[in-house]
């Protein structure tokens, strides 16, 4: 099986003021010690430009993007605006937005296509609720989300990654078992093959939900886990960089499960 370079992306959510730019600098500087891993920070849109200027060459991203190129969409941010501010990637379809902003799979697909079309790398999130997990419907739910939200084709100029984030694992300290993660990531990989043929093999599949330094090594060693989307533990270099180090440590090792 082909092993992809790991991507560790931080999702700062609604955290980050000017006073936190020093932390962005520390993270970028320390991440430079692990050149075998791709590292990114997705910050609030209003902080993107300052963060990007603070750490030239380090990947700064957004957390959402509007599907339209421009227009009468009060309060929204287009893909070109993100790019113009210095972002190189964006998250789309995070469960907090699917829930609070009622974003549908079709919305998420349009957002992903809008980002990719201007050359922004996209991390597209999927994940099931606890109720669906307990009802034995986790894989069916996630593959259904993929069917509705995967972009029509893969652009060569920008990269698509998928983040599997079980809703019940986000910010809770609970994580699925190794077998559950392996099963889901294999199902996602199969869907990507069905959709994109051989190119599906180069789409990175990240795991997200309560990733911490203490569990990262085990998560990164699971087959088809090509990195992580990290929330709470990405806010401080002291929590985030050990996760990057864990990704670097498994480079080249044989995956389990
Ligand atoms: P968490 O969040 O790491 O704080 O659980 C992950 C996410 O929502 O992307």
């Amino acid at each position: 099986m082909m092993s992809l370079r790991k991507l560790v992306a931080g999702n700062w959510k609604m955290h980050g003021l000017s006073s936190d730019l020093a932390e962005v600098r520390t993270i970028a500087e320390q991440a430079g010690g692990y050149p075998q891993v791709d590292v990114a920070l997705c910050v609030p849109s209003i902080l993107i430009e300052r963060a990007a200027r603070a750490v030239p060459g380090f990947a700064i991203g957004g957390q959402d993007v509007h599907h339209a190129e421009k227009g009468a969409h009060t309060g929204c941010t287009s893909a070109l605006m993100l790019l113009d501010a210095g972002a190189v990637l964006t998250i789309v379809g995070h469960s907090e937005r699917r829930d609070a902003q009622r974003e549908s799979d079709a919305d998420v697909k349009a957002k992903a296509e809008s980002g990719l079309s201007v050359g922004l790398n996209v991390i597209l999130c999927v994940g099931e609720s606890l109720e669906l997990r307990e009802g034995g419907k986790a894989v069916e739910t996630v593959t259904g989300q993929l069917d509705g939200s995967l972009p029509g084709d893969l652009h060569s100029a920008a990269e698509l990654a998928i983040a599997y984030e079980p809703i019940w694992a986000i910010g809770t300290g609970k994580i699925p078992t190794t077998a559950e993660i392996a099963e889901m990531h294999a199902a996602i990989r199969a869907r990507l093959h069905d959709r994109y043929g051989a190119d599906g093999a180069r789409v990175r599949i990240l795991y997200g939900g309560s990733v911490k330094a203490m569990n990262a090594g085990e998560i990164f060693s699971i087959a088809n886990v090509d990195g992580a989307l990290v929330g709470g533990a990405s806010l401080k270099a002291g929590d985030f960089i050990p996760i990057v180090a864990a990704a670097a440590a498994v480079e080249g090792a044989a995956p389990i499960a």
Side-chain angles (χ1 to χ4, degrees), residues 13 130 166-176 207 209-212:
K13 307 191 179 183
L130 186 59
I167 297 168
W168 50 275
I170 295 175
T172 58
K174 291 183 199 149
I175 59 164
Y207 168 79
S210 295
V211 176
K212 312 276 177 226

Side-chain angles (χ1 to χ4, degrees), residues 11 13 94 96 165 169-171 209-211 229-232:
N11 173 11
K13 307 191 179 183
H94 191 283
E96 286 155 16
E165 299 204 302
I170 295 175
S210 295
V211 176
L229 184 56
V230 184

